[in-house]
Amino acid sequence: MPTKLTIPDLAAKKAAGERLALLAVGEVLTARWAERAGIDIVGVGDSIGMTLYGHENTLSMSMDQMINHTRAVRTGAPNTMCVVSMPYGSYATREMAVINALRLMKESGCDAVKMQGGREKFDIIKAIADAGVPVMSQVGLVPHMVHKFGGFKMQGRTAEAAMEIVDNARAIEEAGAVGIEVEAMPYEVGKAVDESVSIFTAAIGAGSACTAQILNGYDVLGAFDTFKPKFAKRYANMSEIAVKAFAEFREDVVSGSFPDADHSYQMKPEEAQRLADMLREEKP
């Protein structure tokens, strides 16, 4: 079993040029598989609003939901670093952000929390960090601003837009964050972000320059098939396997071949005979 990463390890891994794998999961089974596979970090993102709840975006997830899902992930992966997303609306003010970040740390069992936003969230990031909570934030495509962006769209298309992303990353580091998620931008912009900060960076759809690469576990498994982001790579087709298994189960039920003797409990012969005798004696 690999040694569980600590917060100081993240900056050390970046400085050493090592690469880490971060997988977003939301319940005990995939968390258990991730730990068995040696995944370095599990993230409980509010993307589970889409992958597990079927919502059109991440905005409806609550603190209680994030805590409950993180508890399940921690149960499945007790020896893996766990980062949990602060849901939309949970860090609107400094006071609210600190209260909710502390609650996540106390009640979910996570090792760090992650919010979204850059320089405009400087005071909030700093407040969480000053409260003693390891905090990360996010640049590029920030799903909590999906309506402002007009959808889930790649960011940093122009040099000016790229420089704004870099500035946001620098502000996140200045505020005391321990890491940055870098999402949905050209490789050149992701590389510029990574080279502009000394703290841990994790990319999802932002090229290969960052210390960690993130994928959603349900994309990796091919379990979430509503749509496939450009940056997602499917390593299996669990959706197809599951549909086939469920269909075969139904066929067996309809045909009467399930359950058979191998999948049924049976009484001892003498007890079965006694039961038959009792039932017969009950008849008028």
Side-chain angles (χ1 to χ4, degrees):
M1 179 69 65
T3 302
K4 180 181 174 181
L5 289 174
T6 65
I7 296 300
D9 289 334
L10 298 180
K13 296 289 186 183
K14 177 181 173 68
E18 296 185 37
R19 295 174 64 80
L20 303 173
L22 194 162
L23 203 63
V25 297
E27 32 63 46
V28 67
L29 289 178
T30 49
R32 185 173 293 141
W33 297 337
E35 181 157 292
R36 289 176 183 171
I39 293 297
D40 301 293
I41 305 169
V42 290
V44 186
D46 50 10
S47 59
I48 59 177
M50 302 172 73
T51 57
L52 297 185
Y53 286 86
H55 301 158
E56 64 177 0
N57 55 49
T58 68
L59 303 184
S60 61
M61 296 302 291
S62 69
M63 281 287 295
D64 286 343
Q65 287 175 307
M66 296 308 298
I67 288 169
N68 288 334
H69 280 279
T70 306
R71 283 175 175 168
V73 168
R74 177 50 80 211
T75 298
N79 302 302
T80 305
M81 175 178 276
C82 178
V83 180
V84 58
S85 291
M86 299 186 70
Y88 179 72
S90 66
Y91 52 92
T93 66
R94 283 180 295 179
E95 294 76 12
M96 180 187 296
V98 170
I99 290 170
N100 284 323
L102 290 169
R103 185 183 171 204
L104 281 171
M105 293 294 292
K106 290 178 69 174
E107 297 183 31
S108 76
C110 68
D111 299 295
V113 303
K114 186 186 75 68
M115 49 176 287
Q116 298 180 19
R119 191 164 295 281
E120 82 284 2
K121 294 290 193 294
F122 183 94
D123 290 345
I124 292 174
I125 298 168
K126 186 176 187 303
I128 296 173
D130 287 348
V133 177
V135 59
M136 302 182 187
S137 199
Q138 184 168 342
V139 297
L141 171 57
V142 285
H144 288 179
M145 297 182 186
V146 62
H147 294 309
K148 177 180 177 181
F149 292 156
F152 295 100
K153 298 179 179 179
M154 185 184 77
Q155 302 298 302
R157 296 174 185 271
T158 67
E160 292 79 9
M163 285 304 300
E164 183 177 353
I165 291 172
V166 168
D167 179 66
N168 282 325
R170 289 171 175 161
I172 290 169
E173 179 173 24
E174 291 165 10
V178 300
I180 303 173
E181 181 173 336
V182 187
E183 181 168 353
M185 62 189 70
Y187 162 79
E188 295 85 354
V189 187
K191 184 173 184 290
V193 169
D194 182 66
E195 292 176 349
S196 296
V197 297
S198 61
I199 59 175
F200 169 77
T201 56
I204 178 166
S208 59
C210 295
T211 301
Q213 289 294 316
I214 307 171
L215 278 182
N216 191 296
Y218 305 103
D219 286 332
V220 169
L221 293 173
F224 181 71
D225 61 0
T226 303
F227 67 90
K228 178 184 174 297
K230 175 180 173 59
F231 52 76
K233 181 176 180 180
R234 289 177 176 160
Y235 289 79
N237 195 338
M238 293 289 287
S239 177
E240 183 177 303
I241 293 170
V243 171
K244 182 175 183 293
F246 293 164
E248 289 180 1
F249 162 65
R250 182 183 181 279
E251 289 173 6
D252 283 355
V253 170
V254 172
S255 70
S257 62
F258 179 86
D260 55 16
D262 290 339
H263 298 92
S264 300
Y265 296 108
Q266 294 182 330
M267 298 178 77
K268 292 180 180 180
E270 60 271 23
E271 292 300 323
Q273 183 58 55
R274 290 183 62 224
L275 174 61
D277 293 343
M278 291 177 181
L279 292 171
R280 187 168 50 253
E281 290 172 2
E282 280 189 344
K283 292 180 180 180

